[in-house]
Amino acid sequence: MLGAELCCSRAVATLEGNSTLVKILKKVVHSTSLRINVQDCEPLAVVAVQRYLSDTCLPSQPGPSQVSASYLYDVTLTDGELQTKCFLAPDLNAVVHTNSLRCGIEIKIKQCCYVYDEKRINNGFLSIEKVELGSNISPILCSISDLSALPNVFSLQGNLFYANSVSQTPLVGGRKYYLSLWNNEDPYGEMRNVFKQLELHITVDASKIITLSNLEMIWRSRLKYPPLLVRIMHKSRLRYFGKPGKKMDVPYQVYFEVADCSGMMSMVMWNDLCLEWYNSIYVGSVLFIQQYTVKPSYQHRTWPTPGDPQMKVFKTVEVCLNPREPASELYILPEKNVKPEWQLPKVRYHFISRVDLDHLPHNYTCDVIGLVIFVGRCERLRKKEGAEDFWLYRWVHIIDGTADKPFILELFSTSQPDVFEHIHPSLGLHKSHKGQPYTTDPKVKAFIQWTKTQNENDLLQRTVIGGYYHFPPPPVTFAQFCKDNKAETVLTSSNEVMKMIANLHYREHKRIAFLGSIASVRYIHHSCTAKVLPAMDVEEEEIFFSARSSPPSSQESDGLAQKSPTQKRKSELHQETEPLTAPIMQLPDFSPSSKFPFRRKRQQRYQTEDHDTAAVYQQSSAELNNKENEENNPNLQSCSRLCGGESHVCSVHAVQQPEVSSDNVWESDIWSEVKGQLSVHLHYGCLLPESIPRKFDYHHRELLVQQLLLHPAKHQCGMHTWSKQMEEHSSLLDHGHFEVTILGINRQFAIDTVFLPVTSTEDHRKLGLLDDLHSNTLLSCVNLGYVSQQQTTGTHESSVLPPPDSIVQTADELNRQHFICILDVCHLGEATVEVFLNQLYNPLPIAQAV
């Protein structure tokens, strides 16, 4: 097992004086219980966080986990001298779910144990049970130029050894591969780089080929079938069907639609073949297939629309490609070797122009091409409530020159991470099938000619990236809202709101509907200057990140009001239908090719001169002086956090918000009495840096694009994090935002939310909103999503926006009224949550209808 590449403990001994990992490993393997509490641990850097499917039978270890997890995590750590892969106890999965424990940061191990695998000889690993999270940017990683050069240290039978590299397989359960960190559809690691070569010299005997129509007729009468010669007409995403406890090495499936001269049939590829062939087979590829099986087709799935409506479709059976029993043989033929007498159909496309879109029927299948002018951040949508599986998606706007309005695309990840992750403005984007010649299509040719007439600077003026974005606008009635949103329509209680927010995963988006009234409104100017307060000493109290993956019980939530401030703090902190998508093709970049080198310095504080980024901890200066509100604020972060149990004294760098004039504040007649008696008041009324849309700068595209993506699983030298460097890029907000406090109907719960109306016709969020004039009351602004410009009278007529204080004061007409409040909630990482007020529905018409 050891081989020539391993060295004995004597070779590692020279590092004992410097290596923190060696000290921890030697101490834990020689302890009588194989478990230690680590005192005065030196900081370690997180190199990678890797996810894989759990097993129902975890290896035996002292103090078994109390958490049942669908997925497990391995964490690779380094001390600058060596590195090692550790198992993260399932109790700590929550700190990965919220992206609190992630690659690039600094941590300290507080408790760990050593676990021997009882089913494998000479196999063991370090299991982390308690960990303290430190700096967001580890100085250790900043000093390492090549992580792969660091030896990997591990223990066998009490002796230390090291290898030239870290193992690429999971530590627990005998799994053979890792999954993508944030979804199951994208290939991960080496799987992304597997490509097959074209078969240049294979001989195809057309006389021995069977057509799909004949195959459908004779499939029951044979055990072995003649070869197939087909063209790929459609390709699905990778589908992962692994289940905890089920021993299947590579549980993947891919559906293709294949066609020949007789018609089209489904073909499903299984397990190992998916990873081996997925990157190499495109729509339009010609395959020569042998050693396949045929079975009745699975009817309960989404069938793609044929490009040729005249083509016959065989839906009773499907072709199956298996890695064994029998092992299927398939070959990709070059297009130049495809003979006309084979009569293989061509892939047909249905490109439309933006000017045509409004006249097409609902659910029409088409292809589009355009230049990207807006790209949103990557967000996640939970597939099933309570599960740990997510769809990954983002919003994109593209233009093709045929209309003033863009195409609005909701792009779901389609197992093409290299394309999905690199979408940015001024990039040609084709939402269709990869690797095909599109230049012969008239609409594609017209688009390419249009791009040649465009001025690059003019296009860049229209580009936007990131920020809070939702589409389509909410419907006029709550009944229609319920119909459109299906499972997310049930009214949510205040306790459930707290639990929903507490249980959000990183970049998970939810829409919540609950009953409440408007308690207060204030307008905050973004032109004000924010000042950074000096570090405050916080009283010694227990500050935890929960290791629990299960939601708090109703008894725990109900008991928050009766607990002490410290207990409240601990309690709060402890707390599949597939979307239709199409592959994406990245066209040639129409922007400059110059690159800009970056350097990063470690940020000592969150500090800014612009209020846009002042809300790091989502607390106002008044709240900082209010001890009760501080204790109720789940977003107050400590610079050092402990996960797994023990208390820790820390300091906080808070940011003072600008003063708000009395003209920009409205409060209901009961708010002054009620706010001091609340059981819970959640403060999410500050506009976060990640919520602000920004201008795109092509020369800084690598930095900007990275901020929109999910945090990577592995650290790469030169990675950027959200910092002052990001804030230097131009914000598109030239106005402030409204902080709207919503009071629960039982007046025990309140939540501060952000309302950011559209104020300009140039705002990318204006798409889909009405153009009608309205009264500019707070209610009309919220429900319509924009502030209506008013016409001035006089010598020169012009349109102006009403002053913010006039909108704020109209909230008086909402005093004590109940509304169904629609909130958009998104977890932005660690303890930071974005909460936007999206809509207010009057519940009276619903009650009268009932």
Side-chain angles (χ1 to χ4, degrees), residues 16-229:
E16 287 190 27
N18 300 321
S19 175
T20 301
L21 291 175
V22 168
K23 294 177 183 178
I24 293 175
L25 278 169
K26 288 180 70 69
K27 187 175 181 180
V28 71
V29 297
H30 290 101
S31 67
T32 55
S33 63
L34 294 179
R35 172 178 282 108
I36 59 171
N37 291 317
V38 183
Q39 304 295 329
D40 301 323
C41 176
E42 293 296 321
L44 299 168
V46 180
V47 175
V49 179
Q50 295 171 294
R51 183 177 69 108
Y52 54 101
L53 193 65
S54 68
D55 193 354
T56 53
C57 300
L58 293 176
S60 61
Q61 55 179 314
S65 168
Q66 301 300 312
V67 173
S68 176
S70 298
Y71 298 97
L72 303 176
Y73 298 90
D74 292 342
V75 180
T76 302
L77 304 176
T78 182
D79 55 15
E81 300 286 346
L82 301 169
Q83 60 180 325
T84 192
K85 184 187 292 185
C86 307
F87 175 68
L88 189 70
D91 290 340
L92 295 178
N93 282 5
V95 292
V96 177
H97 294 164
T98 59
N99 201 40
S100 301
L101 177 60
R102 59 191 183 276
C103 72
I105 72 166
E106 187 178 79
I107 69 168
K108 293 182 179 180
I109 296 177
K110 307 303 290 185
Q111 181 177 304
C112 62
C113 66
Y114 198 82
V115 180
Y116 288 102
D117 190 339
E118 297 178 349
K119 293 188 176 182
R120 291 194 287 180
I121 299 174
N122 291 333
N123 190 64
F125 51 84
L126 192 67
S127 176
I128 301 174
E129 298 179 327
K130 293 181 183 178
V131 63
E132 179 182 318
L133 308 182
S135 170
N136 286 334
I137 305 175
S138 170
I140 296 174
L141 293 176
C142 294
S143 64
I144 300 175
S145 58
D146 185 7
L147 286 167
S148 63
L150 294 180
N152 173 45
V153 63
F154 58 95
S155 174
L156 292 178
Q157 298 181 8
N159 295 319
L160 297 185
F161 298 86
Y162 72 88
N164 292 333
S165 62
V166 178
S167 169
Q168 298 302 311
T169 57
L171 292 174
V172 172
R175 303 290 177 185
K176 295 185 177 181
Y177 58 92
Y178 287 108
L179 299 169
S180 178
L181 185 56
W182 304 115
N183 74 336
N184 289 340
E185 285 69 40
D186 290 341
Y188 174 76
E190 293 302 319
M191 292 160 46
R192 295 176 63 162
N193 303 316
V194 177
F195 292 91
K196 289 288 187 177
Q197 298 296 320
L198 298 178
E199 294 294 337
L200 301 177
H201 306 294
I202 188 170
T203 301
V204 177
D205 186 350
S207 64
K208 296 182 179 180
I209 300 297
I210 187 172
T211 63
L212 295 176
S213 60
N214 288 336
L215 181 65
E216 185 191 38
M217 291 187 292
I218 61 94
W219 73 278
R220 290 185 183 275
S221 62
R222 296 195 182 186
L223 296 177
K224 188 174 182 180
Y225 307 102
L228 287 172
L229 185 63

Side-chain angles (χ1 to χ4, degrees), residues 473-746:
V476 176
T477 66
F478 183 66
Q480 185 62 42
F481 174 87
C482 294
K483 182 179 179 181
D484 294 346
N485 291 272
K486 298 179 182 178
E488 293 185 299
T489 59
V490 179
L491 287 176
T492 307
S493 70
S494 57
N495 282 339
E496 290 171 335
V497 170
M498 289 188 295
K499 285 190 283 187
M500 280 186 178
I501 294 177
N503 292 330
L504 285 174
H505 285 214
Y506 173 52
R507 290 280 183 92
E508 179 184 359
H509 175 268
K510 272 186 178 291
R511 183 160 285 177
I512 299 174
F514 80 103
L515 283 169
S517 61
I518 305 301
S520 72
V521 181
R522 65 175 186 165
Y523 182 80
I524 301 175
H525 293 276
H526 292 174
S527 59
C528 301
T529 301
K531 299 179 181 179
V532 177
L533 299 178
M536 303 185 306
D537 291 330
V538 179
E539 293 183 12
E540 184 170 349
E541 59 176 336
E542 295 178 333
I543 300 179
F544 295 91
F545 267 76
S546 169
R548 291 170 31 172
S549 63
S550 56
S553 66
S554 58
Q555 290 84 358
E556 291 172 315
S557 297
D558 295 338
L560 284 176
Q562 286 73 40
K563 295 180 180 180
S564 68
T566 299
Q567 288 174 321
K568 284 185 185 179
R569 174 89 178 213
K570 291 171 63 178
S571 298
E572 289 180 33
L573 290 177
H574 277 125
Q575 313 197 16
E576 168 174 284
T577 299
E578 295 193 9
L580 292 175
T581 59
I584 306 164
M585 178 182 175
Q586 183 171 313
L587 294 183
D589 199 332
F590 294 99
S591 301
S593 59
S594 58
K595 295 185 178 180
F596 189 85
F598 293 101
R599 286 189 175 182
R600 283 297 309 273
K601 293 184 178 179
R602 182 183 175 192
Q603 295 294 111
Q604 298 297 327
R605 295 185 177 186
Y606 294 98
Q607 182 171 334
T608 176
E609 296 177 355
D610 187 355
H611 174 64
D612 290 355
T613 58
V616 176
Y617 296 110
Q618 300 181 314
Q619 273 193 308
S620 68
S621 57
E623 291 160 2
L624 290 172
N625 296 322
N626 187 325
K627 182 65 178 177
E628 181 178 359
N629 282 343
E630 178 184 345
E631 290 162 349
N632 283 334
N633 186 358
N635 273 350
L636 181 62
Q637 296 186 26
S638 61
C639 295
S640 181
R641 299 141 288 169
L642 185 65
C643 306
E646 300 297 329
S647 62
H648 183 71
V649 182
C650 65
S651 62
V652 174
H653 296 296
V655 181
Q656 181 179 5
Q657 290 208 29
E659 296 294 331
V660 180
S661 67
S662 58
D663 291 338
N664 288 339
V665 177
W666 173 87
E667 293 185 353
S668 70
D669 56 6
I670 62 171
W671 180 238
S672 59
E673 299 179 13
V674 170
K675 64 182 177 181
Q677 303 174 10
L678 295 172
S679 298
V680 176
H681 187 177
L682 303 179
H683 301 281
Y684 297 108
C686 292
L687 191 62
L688 300 169
E690 298 93 329
S691 304
I692 300 171
R694 301 183 182 278
K695 276 290 183 185
F696 180 72
D697 181 352
Y698 187 82
H699 296 289
H700 295 77
R701 64 188 181 280
E702 293 180 7
L703 168 66
L704 296 172
V705 168
Q706 183 176 300
Q707 306 309 317
L708 305 180
L709 304 179
L710 299 174
H711 200 84
K714 288 187 177 181
H715 178 80
Q716 301 292 334
C717 295
M719 280 178 54
H720 306 289
T721 56
W722 196 283
S723 67
K724 180 67 175 179
Q725 189 174 12
M726 185 62 183
E727 305 313 319
E728 293 172 354
H729 294 284
S730 173
S731 166
L732 287 176
L733 293 183
D734 55 1
H735 57 87
H737 76 279
F738 294 89
E739 180 186 279
V740 181
T741 300
I742 302 172
L743 178 66
I745 57 175
N746 288 314

